[in-house]
Amino acid sequence: QVQVVESGGGLVQAGGSLRLSCTASGLTFADYTMGWFRQAPGKEREGISCISWGGSYTYYVDSVKGRFTISQDRAKNTLYLQMNSLKPEDTAIYYCAAGLTFGGSCYTRPADFSYWGQGTQVTVSS
């Protein structure tokens, strides 16, 4: 049985940083495209970053580009999202997901991801 678990969320002031972690049992991250998504109250789930199965390609939505960094530690089977210069509009539940591979690329279409964590709340105060 696959289980994906996020951690590292919390309350932080604007301009601060957080690092989210994602671990899984029952699957190996290196075999999947891995992605980070977020969902703010009243809004649709948004794909914000992904990393290709080989780890050579990363993608960021424009709103987080230059502030967030996705990475993975294959030895620990752990995915990270380093979030710097946080803004109040980054407030959301953040989800980690594993999904289809696309060779050397990745996409953040939720329908392409089969395994999801339960989410971790990130709240940025102004």
Side-chain angles (χ1 to χ4, degrees):
Q1 183 177 354
V2 174
Q3 187 174 16
V4 178
V5 180
E6 304 94 337
S7 61
L11 173 64
V12 63
Q13 289 188 331
S17 298
L18 284 173
R19 189 177 78 158
L20 304 183
S21 299
C22 173
T23 60
S25 57
L27 64 84
T28 301
F29 283 173
D31 295 335
Y32 293 84
T33 291
M34 297 302 300
W36 284 100
F37 297 77
R38 68 185 180 186
Q39 188 165 19
K43 294 188 177 181
E44 293 187 354
R45 189 167 297 189
E46 172 190 31
I48 59 172
S49 183
C50 62
I51 184 167
S52 62
W53 73 272
S56 62
Y57 177 86
T58 57
Y59 162 83
Y60 301 93
V61 71
D62 285 346
S63 59
V64 308
K65 199 174 295 182
R67 300 188 298 123
F68 292 8
T69 303
I70 190 171
S71 63
Q72 60 184 22
D73 184 330
R74 294 190 175 192
K76 296 181 179 180
N77 204 36
T78 301
L79 181 74
Y80 300 101
L81 185 68
Q82 178 66 45
M83 305 187 296
N84 298 328
S85 301
L86 283 163
K87 305 175 181 179
E89 51 263 44
D90 294 319
T91 295
I93 299 174
Y94 283 70
Y95 299 90
C96 166
L100 297 175
T101 62
F102 295 94
S105 188
C106 69
Y107 304 93
T108 53
R109 297 182 292 243
D112 292 335
F113 290 78
S114 301
Y115 303 104
W116 294 81
Q118 82 292 345
T120 186
Q121 177 71 48
V122 172
T123 302
V124 184
S125 63
S126 57

